[in-house]
Structure formats: structure tokens, C-alpha cells
Amino acid sequence: MKLRNTANKQQASIAMGEYDGVAYVEMNEAPSSPKLDNFKKVSVLHLIFLIFYEVSGGPFGMEDSVQAAGPLLALLGFLVFPLIWSVPEALITAEMGTMFPENGGYVVWVSTALGPYWGFQQGWMKWLSGVIDNALYPVLFLDYLKSGIPGLAGGLPRAAAALALTFLLTYMNYKGLVIVGRVAVLLGIFSILPFVVMGLVAIPKLEPARWFVMNLHDVDWSLYLNTLFWNLNYWDSVSTLAGEVNNPKKNLPKALFYAMILVVLSYFLPLLAATGAIPLNRDLWTDGYFSDIAKILGGVWLRWWIQGAAAMSNMGMFVAEMSSDSFQLLGMAERGMLPEFFAKRSRHGTPLIGILFSASGVILLSWLSFQEIIAVENFLYCFGMILEFIAFVLLRIKCPVASRPYKIPVGTVGAILMCIPPTILICVVLALSTVKVMIVSLFAVAVGLVMQPCLKYAEKKRWMKFSASDELPDLHEGNHERVDFSED
């Protein structure tokens, strides 16, 4: 890529920010990911709902925030937390995702800034946290159905239902990302509609005084922060799908912007309606409680609609998360970080081996409880985000004029300052972890530290075949930038 510093060729601004006055001209518009000529790319609409499901999927699973801290702190949390965490993460994803529009996503960012060893650690921690996160969705799915179907509360029926659901949704991922995107749009509309109805039904029963209930002496800060963190993170997951997106340099920032609005509203408005319309009993606010609220406000029919929406939402979150996890493994294989067989695609263009590995991880982890899953995946996710923040700042310093089709309108100092609040939050989340969660998470990190040298040794001994794609740009050649100040 080369840069041409001519004012008359300045690009137009895009939804989440503006270019910085330098026009970037591509010498060769190479495919963002190799061997995709025969497969359809993902559109903006599909991408918005894929992000929506990677991050949120609706208000399901946020009930614990009220149990932990009461209505006022829960409402404030879902307004303030996005400013501290979600917005910086989405902005960094928009900049770095358009700088490196390929399926390796954040793995490529960290590899470029810190080297392939730390890039691999990033990939291991984020993939593992994603798989752990995905193990939640069968749990949530069954928690919302158990009030209507008591047999799903535990035992063999619950285990069999979770296994069948995992196989069904894994097959959907195998059939293609475009199909997953279309399903995400339909499921998203179906999941949001009952909460719109519930909000309208709740209006005559609202008592604003209920929103301001708070007792700082009775707050479970660990549960509160972990619930907020889990419900509002994973904005960077879409970066591992960048190679599958139609015109990612334009459409990725746009999709992130609209998904941000959709996610915040889908949390705050249902919480506002539910906490204002019914008397507070914090002990009842656990995952699945929105279906009981729906019955109180609208009757059995609304409860069944919410339960159906919850089931559909968890299906959407599962397929979106598995898409990101499996395409991340494909992107790492295309960069030579994983054995070559991870880069093989099915006839639908999907990473078959990556899907199978991700599905196996979900099945193995599905026995954990809801709170344990959230705590462990948050711990691993925090480590990965620290590496992303470091990579973002280092690339601003090392490659200041590299092509960034979308660039956050702040300088290097502004980039550093933007990363400070979420980094402090990460430290708080880590500090509040239990000893059990810390031991399990640190063991998982240690596995990655050893795994990378073992894979390199296997490559050296030719036990497994590794190969980097020739169709992807060299991450280190010319520091990823060449500057041309000559005139036409």
C-alpha cells in the first residue's frame, strides 16, 4: 500500500469517525482473504445482526445485575459501562479491522505489533474465552424453557437437550456464513419484538420511584461487574470475520456503529420497563426471570413469546460466536500459526475443522454453572484485551502513516488515554475473581504459553504441515507502510 498526501483526494468521513486528512490509495486491491471467489460475502445488514449476537442478543442474561446491585445501579451500569468499555473496544475494532481486513482479526494485530509468539497467545486466549462463552447459550436456552417445561431443569433430559441443540446449531454454521447472517437477522427481529410489546404493556404500571432503589451496603460487586462485562463485550469478535465481509473497509465501521445503538437500546429499555412496572424482589432476578415478568405484565401468552424469543436469541448468539471462533482458527492457519488443515474450507466456504474444534469445546464445558462460565471467560478475555490495547497503541507509534481506511480521530496521546479507563476496569474485574476462577484461568493461559513452542517444534520435525497463504500481505515487510509523496 502507498500513501499519497494530496488534499484533493481526501476520502469522505464515515459513520463512526473521520479520516485524518491523508488520502490512502491502494496499489492492488487484493482479496481480503484468499480463495473466496466462489463464496458470497456478508452484507452490512447481516453484519449488524452478527455483531448484535456476538455482543448481546437482547436482554437475556442481564437479570443478575439487578440481583447483584438493585435497579438504579443496573440501569446506570447499562448506560455508563458502554461509554467506558464498549465504545473504545468498538472504535479500536473499526480501526484495526479495516487496517487488517482478514480472518485472523485481533491475532494479526497483536502479531504485527508484538510478534507471532504473542499473536498466538492472543489467539489461544480469545478462542478459548469464546468457546467458554458459547457454552453459556445452551444453559440460558434451557433456563428460559424450564419454567414452561420442568423436565428440562436437570438430569438426563437437560443434558440430551443441550447436546441436540449444540449439534443442530453447529450444522447451521457448517452450511455457510451468509445463511448464519440471514438467520441472525430473522432471529434478531423475533427476539426484540416481544420486549417492545412488554414495554408498551408496562407503561400504565410504571412507578418511577422503583428505578431509584439502591443500597451500596448490599451490592455483590463481583457478580455486578461480571454481568455487565459479559453482556457488553466481544465487539472485537467481528474482526475474525473481516475476510468474509463485502467491502470490509467501509462496511465494518458502519455495522459496528449501528450495532452499538441496537445493543444499548435492547438492554436499557426492557430493564427500564421491567424494574419500573413490578415490585422489587432482588432474589428473583436470575437468568430467565424476564419470562416471569412477562407473565405478570401481559399474561401467559407474553411469557411464552419471551421464552421463545430467548430460545431464538441463544441460538443466534451461539451461531454468531461459533462463526467468529472457527474463522479465527482458519485465519491463524492462513498465517502459518496453526497446522494447515485448519485452513481447509468445506464446500460451503466454512472452516470445517475450526467448527468441529469449537463445538467440541462447547460440549466439554457445558457442565459448568452460569456464574462460573461468565467469570472464567471474562478472566481470559481480559488478558486478550490487554494485548489488543498494547497492539493498538504500538501500531499508532510504529506505523503512524500506515493505511487506515477508518481511523479514530485522536492522536497517539489520545489513543493511550482512550485505553486507560477500560484497562482500569479490566484490573478491577481480575481483582474481583475468586481463587478458583483465577487458578483455572491461569492454568489455561499457561497451556497457551507452552503450546506455541510445541507447535513450532512439530513444524520443525515435520510432524504437521504449516503454510502461510501467499495471498495475504507480509505483516512485517516495510513496517506495513510505504510512503509516496510524488505527484501524478
Side-chain angles (χ1 to χ4, degrees):
M1 290 179 277
K2 73 176 182 178
L3 303 154
R4 200 172 293 278
N5 194 11
T6 53
N8 61 335
K9 294 193 176 191
Q10 184 175 2
Q11 301 287 325
S13 62
I14 53 179
M16 291 184 66
E18 298 180 350
Y19 294 96
D20 59 352
V22 179
Y24 299 106
V25 182
E26 303 292 342
M27 293 183 65
N28 296 298
E29 188 63 33
S32 54
S33 189
K35 302 175 183 176
L36 285 175
D37 294 340
N38 298 324
F39 306 116
K40 291 185 68 175
K41 296 288 190 86
V42 178
S43 69
V44 176
L45 180 63
H46 295 164
L47 195 60
I48 290 170
F49 279 90
L50 283 171
I51 297 169
F52 172 70
Y53 274 120
E54 284 167 350
V55 175
S56 165
F60 313 105
M62 67 184 294
E63 295 97 330
D64 282 333
S65 64
V66 178
Q67 183 190 78
L72 181 59
L73 285 180
L75 289 166
L76 289 175
F78 282 97
L79 284 181
V80 176
F81 198 93
L83 299 177
I84 298 173
W85 179 263
S86 301
V87 170
E89 186 183 4
L91 287 170
I92 291 171
T93 301
E95 178 171 321
M96 303 301 290
T98 55
M99 188 178 180
F100 302 98
E102 56 180 276
N103 291 330
Y106 36 68
V107 178
V108 180
W109 315 344
V110 175
S111 295
T112 308
L114 299 172
Y117 179 80
W118 290 108
F120 181 89
Q121 303 312 316
Q122 170 76 351
W124 165 247
M125 286 185 287
K126 295 304 283 286
W127 177 81
L128 188 58
S129 72
V131 170
I132 293 171
D133 180 62
N134 228 8
L136 277 174
Y137 302 129
V139 174
L140 282 172
F141 177 90
L142 296 174
D143 281 346
Y144 267 89
L145 292 184
K146 69 184 180 185
S147 59
I149 309 175
L152 296 177
L156 185 60
R158 184 181 178 91
L163 191 62
L165 181 65
T166 300
F167 277 114
L168 173 65
L169 299 180
T170 299
Y171 179 73
M172 190 180 297
N173 274 94
Y174 164 74
K175 291 292 288 183
L177 190 58
V178 171
I179 291 176
V180 170
R182 291 171 182 167
V183 169
V185 173
L186 294 175
L187 293 180
I189 294 171
F190 182 78
S191 299
I192 292 170
L193 276 178
F195 287 97
V196 174
V197 174
M198 190 180 80
L200 294 174
V201 172
I203 290 175
K205 304 176 182 179
L206 290 178
E207 295 183 18
R210 291 171 174 163
W211 296 326
F212 299 96
V213 176
M214 180 178 67
N215 183 0
L216 291 177
H217 300 292
D218 186 22
V219 176
D220 185 341
W221 291 107
S222 178
L223 179 60
Y224 175 65
L225 288 176
N226 271 308
T227 303
L228 289 175
F229 194 73
W230 175 70
N231 278 283
L232 288 162
N233 62 16
Y234 281 90
W235 295 93
D236 59 339
S237 292
V238 71
S239 68
T240 65
L241 304 177
E244 313 300 310
V245 175
N246 183 35
N247 193 3
K249 297 178 182 180
K250 176 183 177 182
N251 290 335
L252 184 60
K254 184 187 296 185
L256 281 162
F257 175 75
Y258 289 115
M260 177 71 69
I261 296 172
L262 184 60
V263 165
V264 172
L265 291 180
S266 71
Y267 281 136
F268 185 76
L269 295 181
L271 188 60
L272 194 71
T275 54
I278 63 171
L280 177 64
N281 185 338
R282 282 172 56 176
D283 292 336
L284 298 178
W285 281 85
T286 58
D287 56 289
Y289 187 51
F290 266 119
S291 62
D292 295 329
I293 295 171
K295 181 181 178 182
I296 294 169
L297 294 177
V300 175
W301 67 271
L302 187 55
R303 172 179 140 177
W304 276 105
W305 194 2
I306 292 284
Q307 288 178 333
M312 298 300 102
S313 175
N314 283 287
M315 290 174 64
M317 288 187 283
F318 188 101
V319 295
E321 182 63 55
M322 182 169 282
S323 294
S324 292
D325 295 341
S326 56
F327 274 103
Q328 177 201 315
L329 296 181
L330 180 144
M332 292 177 70
E334 289 176 346
R335 283 292 177 187
M337 296 181 183
L338 290 176
E340 190 181 57
F341 59 79
F342 277 99
K344 301 295 183 183
R345 292 175 182 260
S346 70
R347 61 190 179 91
H348 303 290
T350 49
L352 178 60
I353 303 300
I355 288 172
L356 291 176
F357 265 72
S358 299
S360 300
V362 169
I363 293 170
L364 289 173
L365 293 165
S366 60
W367 57 272
L368 292 171
S369 72
F370 182 83
Q371 286 80 12
E372 286 175 329
I373 291 174
I374 289 180
V376 174
E377 68 99 350
N378 280 352
F379 198 98
L380 293 171
Y381 188 82
C382 285
F383 274 106
M385 288 309 304
I386 289 172
L387 288 178
E388 282 185 32
F389 293 153
I390 293 171
F392 168 63
V393 172
L394 282 181
L395 289 172
R396 277 293 189 97
I397 295 170
K398 292 165 61 176
C399 310
V401 291
S403 176
R404 290 171 171 84
Y406 170 83
K407 186 174 182 180
I408 305 169
V410 296
T412 302
V413 174
I416 295 171
L417 293 175
M418 188 178 72
C419 293
I420 291 175
T423 302
I424 293 172
L425 180 62
I426 284 174
C427 294
V428 173
V429 171
L430 293 177
L432 291 173
S433 300
T434 64
V435 174
K436 178 183 176 181
V437 167
M438 199 172 296
I439 290 172
V440 172
S441 302
L442 290 176
F443 174 76
V445 171
V447 170
L449 296 175
V450 175
M451 189 187 303
Q452 200 268 356
C454 290
L455 287 173
K456 298 303 290 183
Y457 183 78
E459 179 182 9
K460 183 179 179 180
K461 291 293 186 179
R462 298 185 178 180
W463 295 340
M464 291 183 286
K465 187 177 180 181
F466 292 72
S467 62
S469 172
D470 294 332
E471 298 180 45
L472 293 172
D474 189 332
L475 296 181
H476 304 287
E477 182 180 359
N479 240 355
H480 201 73
E481 60 188 11
R482 289 198 302 170
V483 184
D484 183 356
F485 294 107
S486 61
E487 297 293 335
D488 286 329

